[in-house]
Amino acid sequence: MASEFPLLGQEQIETIAGAQLIAEADILGVIVLASKGARHYSPDEIELLGTVGKQVGVALQNARLHEQVMESKPYLEQVIESSHDGIITVNPDLTIRTWSRGAEQILGWIREEVVGRPARFVPEELGEEAGAKVVQAMESRQTVYHETVRYHKDGRAIDVSLTLSPLLGHDGQVLGAMAILRDITDRKQFERALKASEEKYRTLFESANDPIFLIDPENGAILDANQQAVATSGYSADELRRMRIPDIHPTEEREKAEAKLEATAKRVDEDA
């Protein structure tokens, strides 16, 4: 805009031109050109002033963001250091950029032993996979989750989950990846014990000399049957799984079987 102004401070101002300082659609202020004499600003001058206003607005916004980042940096560092999970940032070549206290507690190495060095806690046979996961996170700019194994400083293998995200610079450029590492050894041990128990049960179940049926006590549906049950009933395992336990009894005994099933279901409800 251009207009005539009477008096500004002690100076006689005849003409001014102004433009908004804009950053991401936010108006941060106004930049003004003032002239003591009457003059007409050309369209090119007004356009140039508007361009300068936008550039100054962006510069002001960046300065504010930098100030906010610097103010929040101690808080963010405190959050990272207090996390029980390991928080690690790595370069594209898998050298370590940063290493949190949680990572020290999980893997045993202190910060000074790993920063700037290759990730020695990655098993040699998993090195290619580890690099591929980092590249995937960087190139896709998306979070990548997987479960794997890492070495503790004392040589123990530790089951861990890794959540990888791209590490971005202030200009949006990908600098590497950030990994959130969690020790899942207890869960993995439980899963392995459960699997072993299930396999042991299945072996005993299938090798039993007596017919065994697993049934739903509420409706009598056959959930599973061992090989001896298949041989005794004359039905296949798939056929049995589509039947109810009274169905395998002779016709004249099904009413009695239904009554036993109802009594069993009632006892189950009372125990519950």
Side-chain angles (χ1 to χ4, degrees), residues 158-174:
I158 300 175
D159 291 303
V160 299
S161 66
L162 279 173
T163 303
L164 292 163
S165 304
L167 180 65
L168 304 179
H170 68 276
D171 57 355
Q173 183 180 3
V174 178

Side-chain angles (χ1 to χ4, degrees), residues 101-114:
R101 184 171 297 139
E104 291 182 5
Q105 294 171 347
I106 294 172
L107 296 174
W109 278 283
I110 62 173
R111 184 178 288 110
E112 291 75 14
E113 293 176 314
V114 293

Side-chain angles (χ1 to χ4, degrees), residues 13 32 34 38 82-83 103 147 151 159 161 174 185 193 199 227 237 247 251 260:
I13 304 298
V32 175
S82 63
S83 174
E147 296 181 358
Y151 282 145
D159 291 303
S161 66
V174 178
T185 301
E199 290 174 351
Q227 290 300 313
D247 298 337
T251 304
K260 288 183 178 180

Side-chain angles (χ1 to χ4, degrees), residues 81-93:
E81 287 303 301
S82 63
S83 174
H84 292 295
D85 294 333
I87 301 177
I88 306 165
T89 59
V90 298
N91 295 308
D93 62 358

Side-chain angles (χ1 to χ4, degrees), residues 110-145:
I110 62 173
R111 184 178 288 110
E112 291 75 14
E113 293 176 314
V114 293
V115 171
R117 301 179 182 181
R120 66 179 80 178
F121 50 88
V122 177
E124 184 177 351
E125 65 274 15
L126 297 178
E128 186 175 342
E129 176 196 63
K133 294 295 183 182
V134 169
V135 171
Q136 181 183 350
M138 292 173 56
E139 292 184 350
S140 67
R141 295 197 174 210
Q142 294 180 349
T143 299
V144 176
Y145 176 87

Side-chain angles (χ1 to χ4, degrees), residues 186-203:
D186 290 343
R187 173 166 70 80
K188 284 296 186 179
Q189 288 177 346
F190 174 78
E191 290 176 354
R192 285 190 282 267
L194 180 61
K195 183 178 180 181
S197 177
E198 289 174 346
E199 290 174 351
K200 181 179 179 181
Y201 154 76
R202 175 56 62 179
T203 299

Side-chain angles (χ1 to χ4, degrees), residues 15 20 52 57 105 116 121 132 155 165-166 175 208 246 249 265 270:
T15 310
Q20 297 171 333
V52 172
Q105 294 171 347
F121 50 88
S165 304
L175 303 177
H249 288 74
E270 289 175 351

